[in-house]
Amino acid sequence: MFVTETAEKIKSMEIRGAGRIARAAAEAMRHHAMETQARDLVSFRREMESAAQTLVTTRPTAVSLPNAIHLVMSGLERAATFEEAQNGMIIRAEQFIQSSHHALEKIAQFGARHIRDGDIILTHCNSEAALGCILEAYRSGKEIEVFATEVRPRNQGLVTIRTLNDAGIKTNFIVDSAVRSFIHEIDLVLVGADAVTVNGAVVNKIGTAQVAHTATEARVNVLVAAETYKFAPRTIIGELIQIEEREGSEVLAYEISQTLPHVTVRNPAFDVTPVEYIDLIVTEAGVIPPQMAYIIIRDYLGWGIEEFHKNFEINTRNEE
Ligand code: RI2
């Protein structure tokens, strides 16, 4: 079953990157809606809800995943017939995938304008959105150089340097702990995001907060490239972003850890960069200061606020 396979690939990180997992989940929902055995509205809804649940629970941090599923599922409640529900589902999934690609193109254009000829850029992890800006700047004729970190423990930096190398961009590969040693050579830090909260904090690959802190201390600007569907609407109603903690064996081989009974390996996959270490967030809706995250959530992901108002109404009524 395509949904289960996709969910497995997302969990094992065969499919990874916040944008990619969102598109893969939308594609799995589209496929599921097309291949459904259900012939009536009630069983179709039930099937889709269970598929959505399987996909959403694969990786807890990247909010692009529940946002994509929410978009694809929206309207299912209102559909009057099975055919309407099925067609609506397929169309919304296709629209999400298309708009995601379109968002990446826009981000590349907007972000590239912030990269100057001769800039040396530092990036951490492997972000399609951040790399899009770098590649676009290079394509437009700017002579740039990149420092890319290794990104322990999953080494996504290897994917990044392969892309940069293939594009012909001069690239330096460094271990994560070398960022401070090179920060004075850097003009701009550019990273992606797995989630952006209502207060403009950015959740991204573990190590990003250290990189951003180091850059801020050295007066180097920090740019984050993030599609609007990476903003977390439920942070408006007080929900926190869950930080995924992965298997210790990603950090320390199981055989070695067996010989160290008093040692526990901690392996959080993401960290939170506070708003004061971020200069701008490049979205497809424009380049914004992180303090404007609320506006993006309100205008592009309105359901979080609808929910907030609904809850608020209920609460005030209860108080009366
Ligand atoms: P794009 C990745 O998470 C990295 O943290 C990366 O910065 C972020 O998603 C955004 O990537 P992981 O799946 O959506 O490698 O910009 O854990 O590609």
Side-chain angles (χ1 to χ4, degrees), residues 16-19 59 125 127-129 156 193-194 204-205 230 270:
R16 53 145 297 278
R59 291 196 74 193
C125 201
S127 156
E128 253 188 319
Q156 287 97 327
D194 289 82
N204 194 45
K205 183 56 52 197
K230 294 190 182 150
F270 303 98

Side-chain angles (χ1 to χ4, degrees), residues 116-187:
R116 295 159 308 175
D117 193 25
D119 268 357
I120 302 182
I121 304 147
L122 172 81
T123 192
H124 181 63
C125 201
N126 177 255
S127 156
E128 253 188 319
L131 274 177
C133 304
I134 296 172
L135 293 173
E136 181 57 31
Y138 185 69
R139 266 196 295 264
S140 69
K142 291 175 188 167
E143 225 170 88
I144 53 173
E145 188 174 330
V146 178
F147 275 70
T149 48
E150 184 183 23
V151 195
R152 281 273 292 153
R154 299 288 298 226
N155 303 325
Q156 287 97 327
L158 293 175
V159 186
T160 297
I161 58 170
R162 171 74 51 204
T163 304
L164 293 166
N165 176 76
D166 292 352
I169 299 176
K170 191 171 176 214
T171 301
N172 307 277
F173 188 46
I174 59 172
V175 296
D176 302 335
S177 44
V179 168
R180 200 170 193 283
S181 299
F182 288 107
I183 201 69
H184 295 293
E185 295 180 31
I186 306 296
D187 298 297

Side-chain angles (χ1 to χ4, degrees), residues 22-210:
R23 286 193 299 277
E27 175 55 26
M29 292 299 288
R30 188 188 74 90
H31 192 268
H32 201 55
M34 282 172 76
E35 304 285 306
T36 182
Q37 298 298 313
R39 285 293 165 261
D40 64 89
L41 189 54
V42 175
S43 36
F44 181 71
R45 272 194 195 127
R46 213 178 298 132
E47 240 189 56
M48 292 303 124
E49 272 154 19
S50 140
Q53 188 62 16
T54 305
L55 290 161
V56 152
T57 48
T58 49
R59 291 196 74 193
T61 303
V63 79
S64 51
L65 181 57
N67 279 352
I69 295 287
H70 185 99
L71 278 166
V72 173
M73 293 288 283
S74 67
L76 193 60
E77 275 305 309
R78 284 192 304 276
T81 62
F82 162 66
E83 286 76 17
E84 195 190 321
Q86 187 188 34
N87 289 337
M89 195 82 172
I90 295 167
I91 290 169
R92 283 190 301 274
E94 284 166 357
Q95 279 171 344
F96 174 78
I97 295 168
Q98 229 177 24
S99 69
S100 166
H101 287 298
H102 183 66
L104 286 171
E105 283 167 24
K106 282 267 166 231
I107 288 172
Q109 286 167 18
F110 296 161
R113 293 190 185 133
H114 281 269
I115 299 173
R116 295 159 308 175
D117 193 25
D119 268 357
I120 302 182
I121 304 147
L122 172 81
T123 192
H124 181 63
C125 201
N126 177 255
S127 156
E128 253 188 319
L131 274 177
C133 304
I134 296 172
L135 293 173
E136 181 57 31
Y138 185 69
R139 266 196 295 264
S140 69
K142 291 175 188 167
E143 225 170 88
I144 53 173
E145 188 174 330
V146 178
F147 275 70
T149 48
E150 184 183 23
V151 195
R152 281 273 292 153
R154 299 288 298 226
N155 303 325
Q156 287 97 327
L158 293 175
V159 186
T160 297
I161 58 170
R162 171 74 51 204
T163 304
L164 293 166
N165 176 76
D166 292 352
I169 299 176
K170 191 171 176 214
T171 301
N172 307 277
F173 188 46
I174 59 172
V175 296
D176 302 335
S177 44
V179 168
R180 200 170 193 283
S181 299
F182 288 107
I183 201 69
H184 295 293
E185 295 180 31
I186 306 296
D187 298 297
L188 181 70
V189 168
L190 182 51
V191 292
D194 289 82
V196 182
T197 68
V198 67
N199 65 352
V202 168
V203 183
N204 194 45
K205 183 56 52 197
I206 191 80
T208 304
Q210 275 176 202

